[in-house]
Amino acid sequence: MTVPLTVVTDPAHGGRWTSLRAGDREWLWHRPAPERHRVRPGDAFVDAGGLEECLPTVRGVPDHGDAWSRPWERDGDTERVHGPRFTLMRTLRHTAEGAEADYTLRAEPGFRFVWAAHALLDLSTDALLSLPPGAPARLFPEAAPLLTGTWPAGAPWLTGRWPAPRGLRLDRLGPDDGTAVGAVVDTPSCCVHDGPDRLTFHLESTAQPLSIALWRNLGGFPAEAPYRSTGVEPMLGRVFGLADAGPADTARVPASGEVRWRLSLTDSCRCP
């Protein structure tokens, strides 16, 4: 039976999604970070959990993008943020199957960007991430100590296949082991299994690269005070950092000056 999904956002503080709830189940993970309410554009990223809108990059400069540190405006069901080179609009609504977020980005034609719905989820050690078996996946340099062999000098990523790119199993979380690994999988959908609960993310857009980014932090980050967090991040693009991206690795604004996409969330599994 479908359980309605409810979403709560905080436009005044970067448009962050502060709650994603299905019945009694809160899916979003949080951590105490009171300084999050005082950030300004250009500040270092403050990880309070929830779901952050990362644009035009995730890693790099500015860290986690230029939208999370800016106040958003709300007009009815639509929320918007004005960045240095873009305006991002988001309309959230409930559906019979869960919830949808429709996005519109306006910028100069040719503007290249990466966008991610940087969702940090509150998951047990038994949780399973279901993505299409064999889907192309990229691993990033923090995975080097967990792989056999030497990471090639200067390589921004290595490629493999889901669920174990280069032999590194990523679909099961398990207990804390002091590692933190990022990956980007070439698929528009991911289903999260955790006990009896399910949550599916599905991304749609025309003529833009669609992927699911993963951040499996099992107490390995940050080095000075590590904690556990799990990111499942629907993405336009195929890399975390805009600076590392080739021509096919980013979204691009067409001649119309506008890009549209939709993120759908359901409480049932729609993935293989």
Side-chain angles (χ1 to χ4, degrees):
M1 181 175 67
T2 299
V3 177
L5 288 173
T6 59
V7 178
V8 178
T9 64
D10 186 357
H13 302 103
R16 186 167 66 101
W17 300 31
T18 56
S19 179
L20 175 61
R21 181 174 289 275
D24 294 332
R25 172 68 190 250
E26 174 58 62
W27 281 101
L28 295 181
W29 169 88
H30 300 87
R31 64 186 290 268
E35 65 274 26
R36 178 68 173 77
H37 285 180
R38 302 190 296 272
V39 297
R40 296 291 184 271
D43 287 355
F45 181 65
V46 177
D47 187 5
L51 184 154
E52 303 279 9
E53 304 281 358
C54 295
L55 176 84
T57 190
V58 182
R59 299 181 182 178
V61 180
D63 188 16
H64 287 72
D66 233 330
W68 72 271
S69 60
R70 298 176 181 273
W72 291 47
E73 305 164 357
R74 179 178 284 167
D75 181 10
D77 293 333
T78 298
E79 299 166 333
R80 61 173 53 81
V81 62
H82 303 286
R85 299 180 59 195
F86 62 84
T87 295
L88 177 66
M89 293 173 285
R90 174 182 72 194
T91 302
L92 285 159
R93 62 177 171 273
H94 303 295
T95 68
E97 296 183 330
E100 290 178 347
D102 282 334
Y103 292 87
T104 302
L105 176 79
R106 291 176 180 161
E108 289 292 324
F111 178 69
R112 298 173 68 229
F113 67 95
V114 172
W115 165 86
H118 186 279
L120 293 175
L121 303 182
D122 188 5
L123 302 178
S124 75
T125 58
D126 296 323
L128 173 70
L129 306 180
S130 178
L131 290 83
R138 293 177 174 182
L139 291 173
F140 294 82
E142 65 271 10
L146 305 177
L147 304 179
T148 301
T150 302
W151 191 275
W157 61 74
L158 297 181
T159 59
R161 297 284 176 176
W162 182 264
R166 301 277 172 153
L168 179 59
R169 193 75 183 261
L170 294 178
D171 56 336
R172 295 188 179 275
L173 302 180
D176 289 1
D177 61 8
T179 66
V181 177
V184 176
V185 185
D186 193 5
T187 178
S189 301
C190 176
C191 181
V192 181
H193 304 242
D194 195 12
D197 301 322
R198 304 288 183 270
L199 179 66
T200 294
F201 296 90
H202 179 69
L203 191 58
E204 302 171 70
S205 188
T206 300
Q208 304 292 347
L210 307 176
S211 62
I212 300 291
L214 304 173
W215 174 241
R216 195 189 70 174
N217 176 21
L218 304 180
F221 178 89
E224 64 276 10
Y227 49 81
R228 180 187 180 97
S229 60
T230 304
V232 177
E233 307 171 25
M235 176 182 280
L236 295 187
R238 297 190 179 97
V239 293
F240 286 110
L242 189 62
D244 294 329
D249 297 327
T250 67
R252 183 183 295 270
V253 176
S256 65
E258 190 172 277
V259 177
R260 295 178 179 267
W261 63 95
R262 172 175 291 173
L263 175 61
S264 302
L265 304 98
T266 61
D267 76 326
S268 57
C269 190
R270 304 297 175 86
C271 301

